[in-house]
Amino acid sequence: MTVEEKKSQDESLYVVGREQELTVFQRELDSAVFTRKIMNLYGTAGIGKSFLLDEFYKKALASSVIPYVIDCESFAVTPQGFCLHVLNLVYPRGYESASDGELMSECVQALNGLADSKRVVLLFDAYERMDVLDQWLRDYFLKQLEPHILTVIAGRTPLAEPWFLSPSWRQQIIRMPLVELDFEAVERYAGSSGVHDHELVARLWRHSKGHPLTLSLVTFILEQAQLYGQDPVFSDHDTLPYLVDKWLQEVPDEELRSLIEAASVLRQFNQDSLSFLMDKQVPSAQFHRLIRFSFIRKVERGWSLHALMREAVSQELIARAPMRYKKLREKGLLYYYGRLKENETFEASPREAVELMYYIGDALLRALMNWFELDPPRFEQAGRHTMGELERYIVRRREEARDSRIELYDPHSGRTFDFFVTAQQSCLTLKRLDFEKLFQLGYDVVRIMRDTVGEVIGFAVVIPINGKTLPYLLESPRSKAYFEQLPSGRLDQLAAVSDSTRAGWFIETIDISDFADASQQTAMGHLIHALIFTGELVVESPAPIPYFIEAHKSLGFEIVPNATHREYDGITDTPTFVIDMRKNNLLSYIHRMIQNEGQLETIIKEKERPSDPLEEESTRRETAVDPILARSDLTPREKEVAKLLEQGLKNADIAQRLYLSEATVKKHMKSMLAKLNAANRTQLLKKLLEQS
């Protein structure tokens, strides 16, 4: 397949499944006047935002609308930098001598002047970089633009809440969340790539989870197999070395490959954690090169290898260098254990406690963590005003309940787990709930989870244990078996706990709309982990489903004697679980989990090492960076393009390597030519390699 053919195929991938977004945009172009002022595209890295903006650009041109792409990585994130960038797009001439006030005024006038005769579309890409400018754009700049100007804002996250608190803006915004492709879209893309076998399509779906970037890479493997007349049916293990090799073709540097191997044993990483695993300081320049690769994405607390890449590199490393993999895992354990020792209650950072579980848990817990996503939705406290939404959600949940299969894999041990939850079982979490009584308790005991468009997709009931809630807990079907068996002296102690504090937590229920959805399961796991690592008593009697029961055992919950009941379905014996983290129990819990996995020796052997002068000197030498990466006048994306230019790649090849459109690469080249006052690519490369 030629570069152009691959580029065309990748463009078709990112358009497949996006028909609704394209239709909505075309409808705006076809209307006499724009019905809204803002379109907000948002989704994870590799989901196809930039490709969709390219399609919007083409459609705007075809409709005689003037489009401008505003790459938020191409200018200083200040009002002045933004206005100078836009002015140079609209009327390229020297504006550097203009004052700040003049720049902003001229920018607004220039856009409105264009809109007097033709409609204009502003296409913002990588808007997540505009966080510090968001308020200025919302409250000052965009409000001054004429109605004939449509603004499309594309970023990894939706527009912030203040946009929707303003009635005027709320009515002017069209929200367009970009999610993973559904099975039909994957099937259509596979067909366009010559893959028609249903089982192969199912494998593509299973491996990619509908993520466009992953789908493109896995489909490429199948195409190569067919090209050389090989059996296109592939097994996970047979294709891993090939997959890793293809992904790592953009990483010629062995040092960077070592960093990627270290990153593969961390669910998320930053410069500090990688330095700890590598036993040396990772230079900043090297770290910045690492995080710009196409298979690495920014997450809330650092960066992460793409899930498929992380699993592939881990498995390849286990097979090729098992001792190195073991050492890296041990270093990961020590890193998060050290963070635990710094703050034994983990009240401030329960997510780091969650990460620790990835290293100290058993195979099932590791498999769950391997499945969990890094940016899940969250359960948020809900008030009485949400009762109507909750009641409608429960009706919808029961109507739409379906059987679910939860397939889990632990790359560390190679074990797989397969749980089946029937539609009837999935509704057990909805039974015997009285929201009126729950809201009367106060304390925000009810929490809800919403999807990206605000629809309720789950809820949780978490009750603090104190004198005020004790009467309810003694009567509620799920909790009374535990509280009724407590000695009278203990009940007296709980009754004496004031309303303003608590003796622990009782988890009444946690329900999600789709048991097979990784993001919803992650949100549920994060909530339970957060409660565990408050350092308190946590009591729960989950629905009697094997998946729930085994997961609680793996988490370290213990079954309470004489607290079994049949309140869920009237038939099944249901245990009550407890985990007690009070006083020094949290550290004891961690040690017990570590010991159960035979890892306690790793902790015992860890000692402070004296600093090594030779290692420090080596680190100082490593911090010397090449002239391109050292430049302060280039954006991170321009540095990536420049490094590939240094390798002699053409624009089309650079676009393929960075998963960009060729137009975007040309835009970066044009920007660098202007910044370095270079007449052509040869002059540009010469100036790029000069020491600044």
Side-chain angles (χ1 to χ4, degrees), residues 27 72 132 169 174 284 370 418 425 437 458 481 498 501 521:
R27 190 182 302 134
C72 299
V132 296
W169 274 127
I174 300 175
S284 296
N370 189 55
D418 190 355
Q425 287 175 326
K437 284 186 177 180
S498 70
T501 185
Q521 288 281 357

Side-chain angles (χ1 to χ4, degrees), residues 28 33 41 127 235 304 386 419 587 593 604 617 642 654:
E28 286 296 311
V33 294
L41 294 172
Y127 190 77
S235 69
S304 173
T386 63
F419 294 99
L587 196 56
M593 297 286 281
I604 295 172
E617 176 59 28
I654 294 173

Side-chain angles (χ1 to χ4, degrees), residues 118-173:
K118 275 196 173 185
R119 288 181 298 165
V120 176
V121 173
L122 303 179
L123 302 163
F124 284 76
D125 198 4
Y127 190 77
E128 61 271 8
R129 290 197 69 251
M130 300 287 279
D131 182 55
V132 296
L133 267 191
D134 184 69
Q135 184 268 335
W136 176 81
L137 284 164
R138 180 182 66 248
D139 296 337
Y140 174 75
F141 184 80
L142 293 178
K143 283 187 175 181
Q144 299 187 66
L145 299 184
E146 295 291 337
H148 292 304
I149 299 176
L150 173 65
T151 302
V152 180
I153 296 176
R156 295 189 180 182
T157 57
L159 289 174
E161 185 177 3
W163 288 87
F164 301 96
L165 294 178
S166 165
S168 58
W169 274 127
R170 185 167 61 243
Q171 297 168 7
Q172 294 293 329
I173 298 173

Side-chain angles (χ1 to χ4, degrees), residues 371-427:
W371 184 39
F372 282 0
E373 295 185 353
L374 292 171
D375 292 317
R378 292 172 176 79
F379 287 95
E380 301 172 350
Q381 293 173 337
R384 185 183 292 272
H385 66 280
T386 63
M387 190 181 298
E389 279 188 286
L390 285 164
E391 290 172 346
R392 290 191 294 275
Y393 165 78
I394 288 176
V395 171
R396 187 175 77 249
R397 262 278 283 121
R398 287 180 171 138
E399 291 174 348
E400 298 176 357
R402 61 181 184 273
D403 297 345
S404 300
R405 171 160 264 108
I406 302 171
E407 297 176 289
L408 305 171
Y409 173 72
D410 171 31
H412 179 64
S413 65
R415 288 186 61 187
T416 58
F417 301 87
D418 190 355
F419 294 99
F420 187 74
V421 181
T422 67
Q424 183 179 10
Q425 287 175 326
S426 77
C427 291

Side-chain angles (χ1 to χ4, degrees), residues 309-320:
M309 178 66 164
R310 185 174 70 243
E311 183 175 324
V313 172
S314 293
Q315 291 189 39
E316 194 271 341
L317 187 59
I318 290 170
R320 176 175 54 81

